Amino acid sequence: MHTIREIFELERAFRDLGPAERARKRRSTTWPVLQLFKAWCEQLSLRTPPKSPLAKAANYVLNQWDTLVVFVDVGAIPAHNNVSELMLRQAVVGRKNYLFAGSEGGA
């Protein structure tokens, strides 16, 4: 079975390419891996009980498919949103850390 890891390995190979070339490479190499992943999710969705966590995850992927694969045709879009997640996490962690900074007990 093809995994998400393969997509990220391909992305590492495309790191130094320009957006147009990255999109071309993604269409020829990443797209077939994504198609196999989609087929696997479709089979999983049919074979597992609908309320199971695995079926819910597979159905989520299938429901979000169009959004998930946008990065294939747009080379400027990263295959992951790690930077966005990191930026959101910094604000939350900072807010929690500074909650008691002004009190004697917190200092």
Side-chain angles (χ1 to χ4, degrees), residues 8-91:
F8 286 105
E9 288 172 0
L10 290 167
E11 283 299 307
R12 270 192 290 282
F14 305 154
R15 180 179 26 219
D16 297 329
L17 300 176
E21 182 66 15
R22 187 178 303 120
R24 191 181 69 71
K25 291 277 195 179
R26 284 175 177 170
R27 282 190 290 273
S28 65
T29 59
T30 304
W31 184 248
V33 175
L34 285 169
Q35 289 298 324
L36 291 171
F37 178 66
K38 182 180 183 183
W40 179 74
C41 286
E42 288 168 341
Q43 287 299 315
L44 195 61
S45 177
L46 296 173
R47 290 184 307 194
T48 56
K51 300 277 184 183
S52 72
L54 201 52
K56 287 180 182 180
N59 286 326
Y60 179 80
V61 168
L62 296 172
N63 288 336
Q64 300 298 320
W65 186 255
D66 292 337
T67 306
L68 173 70
V69 298
V70 165
F71 79 98
V72 173
D73 291 321
V74 184
I77 297 177
H80 57 77
N81 67 345
N82 291 348
V83 174
S84 303
E85 294 288 336
L86 180 62
M87 297 304 286
L88 287 171
R89 190 174 305 118
Q90 286 176 350

